[in-house]
Amino acid sequence: YEITFIQGGMFMPYALVGYFDKETDHKIKNLWMCLADAGIDDYLSNSENNPHIKFMMYQNADIDKIKEVLFSLSKTISKFPIHFKTYNFYPNEKPFISIDMAAAKQILDLQTKIRSECDRYGELFGFDVFNEGIWKPDCQLTIEISKEKLLKAIAILLDTELPFNGTLERIGVIEFHPAKQLFSFDLQ
């Protein structure tokens, strides 16, 4: 999927996300830095955000209502293990690279809960990548890169540790572009 953002436009895009434990966060930030140091993409390494999984994106939203919902959900959901298994890329005009996670029942159920509780407060984008049966859990390593940089990025990722395990510990909201973490809540 591709999204064009209008700087100073009439809407503010948001993503509902999950954050990882400190060790996983550190591993993924190191990947961001390696890709930035190689001149592939420095957006994520320079952002005011942490590595995350996107459960949903809205082109506009009632953030106060979503904050209440996520706070309530965080009190009913336990932290749970996640398995980072493969690298993937989306073959857009400007591709991006991510780490796929195992589509375990816990993570699929959490995404379904977030969607069922929050979609009424958000204005959806015109794409279906977050719909049931289509959405897959992943964590982005780049935003948009030129096709010429894709092979260089793959060469770097071939020399990294994969698969690895982590823990989903928090849920929250970011706004973008530029990416900025607004708030998050610890899971139980």
Side-chain angles (χ1 to χ4, degrees):
Y1 58 94
E2 289 186 76
I3 306 170
T4 302
F5 299 101
I6 303 167
Q7 292 294 338
M10 298 194 316
F11 62 85
M12 177 59 67
Y14 298 97
L16 280 58
V17 300
Y19 292 106
F20 313 119
D21 60 281
K22 287 180 183 176
E23 183 179 336
T24 301
D25 191 71
H26 181 72
K27 283 181 183 181
I28 296 171
K29 282 183 176 179
N30 280 341
L31 292 173
W32 286 359
M33 290 305 301
C34 287
L35 294 168
D37 290 346
I40 294 166
D41 185 10
D42 65 357
Y43 176 82
L44 292 167
S45 64
N46 290 329
S47 73
E48 293 181 27
N49 204 0
N50 294 74
H52 57 275
I53 176 175
K54 287 183 184 77
F55 294 112
M56 187 58 195
M57 290 171 45
Y58 301 114
Q59 63 181 348
N60 203 352
D62 182 338
I63 291 304
D64 292 333
K65 292 284 189 191
I66 288 175
K67 187 175 188 177
E68 290 174 20
V69 170
L70 292 182
F71 176 76
S72 294
L73 280 175
S74 73
K75 299 303 176 202
T76 65
I77 299 166
S78 297
K79 298 173 184 176
F80 59 86
I82 46 179
H83 180 72
F84 294 85
K85 57 183 194 160
T86 57
Y87 295 114
N88 184 29
F89 75 94
Y90 287 79
N92 298 331
E93 180 61 34
K94 289 191 171 186
F96 66 89
I97 300 170
S98 61
I99 305 176
D100 285 346
M101 296 169 221
K105 183 171 176 15
Q106 285 176 300
I107 205 160
L108 296 175
D109 287 349
L110 178 55
Q111 196 255 357
T112 298
K113 282 180 190 177
I114 288 172
R115 292 282 319 266
S116 68
E117 297 292 323
C118 294
D119 277 5
R120 71 186 110 203
Y121 303 118
E123 185 179 342
L124 303 176
F125 281 103
F127 49 77
D128 63 0
V129 297
F130 292 98
N131 289 350
E132 186 176 339
I134 297 173
W135 178 76
K136 68 175 190 57
D138 65 18
C139 174
Q140 279 186 256
L141 298 179
T142 67
I143 297 297
E144 293 181 333
I145 61 174
S146 68
K147 290 179 181 177
E148 296 77 28
K149 293 181 179 180
L150 188 57
L151 290 177
K152 186 176 181 182
I154 290 170
I156 291 168
L157 296 174
L158 284 173
D159 290 330
T160 62
E161 175 194 348
L162 198 65
F164 63 88
N165 294 316
T167 304
L168 189 76
E169 292 192 345
R170 298 180 290 136
I171 54 176
V173 172
I174 61 173
E175 70 178 19
F176 52 95
H177 284 294
K180 179 179 157 187
Q181 184 176 332
L182 297 182
F183 55 83
S184 68
F185 301 109
D186 290 337
L187 300 179
Q188 299 307 300

